[in-house]
Amino acid sequence: MELKKREFIQIELLSWYDKGARILPWRDNPSPYRVWVSEIMLQQTRVDTVKGYFERFMAAAPTVSALAQLPDEQLMKLWEGLGYYSRARNLKKAAVIIMDEYNRVVPGDIELLKKLPGIGPYTSGAVASIAYGVRVPAVDGNVLRVISRLLAAGDDIADPKVKRSIEDQVLELLPDRAVGAFNQALMELGATVCIPNGAPKCQECPVQSVCEGHLQGIAEVLPVKGSKKERRIEHKTIFILQAQDCIAIRKRQSKGLLAGLWELPNEEGWLTKREVMDKLREWGIEDSTIHDGRSGKHIFSHREWHMISYVITIKKMSSNIPFILADQTDIRENYSIPTAFKAFVEFWNQALMNVEASLL
Ligand code: SF4
């Protein structure tokens, strides 16, 4: 890109960002630790959702040292509902490494940053540029879209080679000072003006006059993205097993999807009532009543769970059923239940409230 155009984009974007940047909790006091945690939370998650989570997280773990010592159950509870739980586990693992091997300081060197669990090219670029002013690009989905449109580039951004070339273009575009602000301005433009899925708001854009995508009338069809793989559909039966004012939950395995979180007992496939009764006997539940519960769907990145449920009131059970029984307070305060099961827990909560109301 020619020098004059580059300078124009730098000046216009920085001035636009300076005047109108959104006020976000991690932007006042952008310490390396706060930038890092916020960037991890923002992966795959909307800004409005992250705000509350970020503030609660900072209250519980205000420093790298506090994060390194945070009990796993508390960490999962703080992350509950954000999804992609490996992000939280990696944050803690990285905090331990920073304490033990990095002299207790989040580094500003992108190569050191990239060695930490959960930190890739984007996050390392964001931390180094925003918190330390290092002149490196930070290219997320927003920036990929803005640059593709600015340059009217029709290459597939799902291709790693194309992504690397866009990182090179951003590096060339970066000013010598205010690098962090410039990277954030590009992301902000993508999040608020050069928006995805349909029409960008070009009339509000500070770089409209030099944007090739806009000038050529092709901004709306950019960027080009290779078609995504179809998600795998999995059917499940959820057991809402209640005994007095408690519900049965169990811990998921320590590896794989939603590892180590708590779930309602469930089985593959949509079971009939007869199959449910067989399962209950296997678990040591000897007498119970069974009713149809609600159904639900949960979408992960590569799979979808299509779920039905049964509400089972336990009357008699053996002493070693493979679950624990937790009441509403326990569930709220002590156990991290992933969003996939939340609607079923809520269904149970509601049923309990109805029973209590009918007894008044
Ligand atoms: Fe995006 Fe339109 Fe601005 Fe170009 S002019 S960067 S397409 S918002």
Side-chain angles (χ1 to χ4, degrees):
M1 191 185 293
E2 70 200 52
L3 181 65
K4 239 170 113 187
K5 193 162 162 182
R6 235 169 34 221
E7 284 175 351
F8 175 83
I9 293 174
Q10 290 167 354
I11 292 166
E12 293 302 317
L13 261 188
L14 279 171
S15 140
W16 171 81
Y17 184 70
D18 193 40
K19 281 185 228 139
R22 289 171 295 175
I23 295 168
L24 301 172
W26 46 91
R27 283 189 175 160
D28 46 76
N29 180 16
S31 70
Y33 174 63
R34 288 167 62 88
V35 172
W36 168 41
V37 173
S38 66
E39 289 298 342
I40 298 293
M41 283 188 169
L42 285 164
Q43 291 167 10
Q44 323 276 351
T45 313
R46 290 156 42 91
V47 166
D48 282 342
T49 309
V50 167
K51 285 184 199 165
Y53 278 92
F54 179 79
E55 283 176 344
R56 282 191 294 279
F57 198 93
M58 283 300 140
T63 60
V64 188
S65 155
L67 172 56
Q69 294 170 54
L70 199 68
D72 288 348
E73 286 292 347
Q74 193 183 350
L75 176 67
M76 287 300 118
K77 197 69 196 163
L78 285 166
W79 211 266
E80 185 181 69
L82 263 184
Y84 301 95
Y85 289 81
S86 57
R87 292 182 295 172
R89 284 190 206 94
N90 283 334
L91 262 178
K92 182 173 167 183
K93 275 190 212 155
V96 171
I97 295 172
I98 290 168
M99 293 304 291
D100 293 348
E101 299 172 28
Y102 285 19
N103 214 13
R104 309 159 80 90
V105 177
V106 179
D109 178 307
I110 57 162
E111 294 311 321
L112 283 179
L113 281 163
K114 278 195 268 186
K115 284 187 184 158
L116 293 168
I119 298 194
Y122 166 71
T123 310
S124 59
V127 173
S129 65
I130 299 170
Y132 289 103
V134 179
R135 194 173 173 280
V136 284
V139 176
D140 66 353
N142 283 324
V143 177
L144 283 174
R145 181 171 59 258
V146 170
I147 299 295
S148 297
R149 287 173 174 171
L150 260 178
L151 304 176
D155 299 319
D156 180 358
I157 57 165
D159 180 343
K161 269 192 273 167
V162 172
K163 200 171 162 222
R164 274 198 297 278
S165 133
I166 290 185
E167 282 167 357
D168 292 343
Q169 309 266 12
V170 174
L171 180 60
E172 197 192 352
L173 194 54
L174 285 177
D176 293 328
R177 45 158 212 98
V179 177
F182 187 81
N183 273 336
Q184 290 183 90
L186 275 177
M187 295 176 212
E188 184 96 347
L189 189 74
T192 61
V193 176
C194 196
I195 50 178
N197 307 326
K201 302 176 192 168
C202 300
Q203 298 317 316
E204 298 171 24
C205 181
V207 292
Q208 186 206 85
S209 64
V210 294
C211 173
E212 284 301 324
H214 173 70
L215 296 172
Q216 294 176 27
I218 56 170
E220 283 182 31
V221 296
L222 294 173
V224 172
K225 259 192 249 178
S227 58
K228 277 193 181 164
K229 263 211 211 151
E230 293 230 331
R231 291 193 202 93
R232 193 170 72 228
I233 308 285
E234 295 176 2
H235 295 108
K236 285 191 177 290
T237 300
I238 309 295
F239 290 71
I240 303 173
L241 284 165
Q242 51 182 7
Q244 295 177 339
D245 57 354
C246 291
I247 188 172
I249 56 173
R250 67 184 178 192
K251 197 165 194 174
R252 288 179 66 83
Q253 292 180 343
S254 58
K255 290 230 160 70
L257 185 71
L258 306 176
L261 299 175
W262 292 84
E263 66 176 4
L264 300 191
N266 60 85
E267 288 291 310
E268 292 301 321
W270 287 348
L271 304 191
T272 62
K273 275 196 182 141
R274 177 160 294 282
E275 289 167 323
V276 166
M277 280 159 71
D278 290 345
K279 203 73 215 167
L280 292 173
R281 265 193 296 278
E282 202 180 292
W283 286 335
I285 294 166
E286 291 151 25
D287 188 12
S288 59
T289 57
I290 305 175
H291 298 287
D292 292 330
R294 60 162 291 158
S295 55
K297 180 160 109 174
H298 189 78
I299 298 176
F300 298 93
S301 50
H302 302 300
R303 65 182 91 180
E304 290 182 25
W305 282 358
H306 293 198
M307 298 170 279
I308 60 164
S309 70
Y310 291 98
V311 180
I312 296 141
T313 305
I314 302 173
K315 294 185 183 161
K316 195 168 165 221
M317 61 189 171
S318 74
S319 56
N320 55 351
I321 56 165
F323 317 113
I324 66 162
L325 293 169
D327 64 18
Q328 284 174 312
T329 312
D330 265 347
I331 296 272
R332 202 171 44 246
E333 293 177 3
N334 300 324
Y335 296 103
S336 318
I337 310 266
T339 307
F341 297 99
K342 274 281 163 70
F344 298 96
V345 173
E346 198 37 53
F347 184 74
W348 166 69
N349 276 334
Q350 207 53 52
L352 265 191
M353 277 160 53
N354 292 343
V355 171
E356 279 164 16
S358 71
L359 294 174
L360 289 176

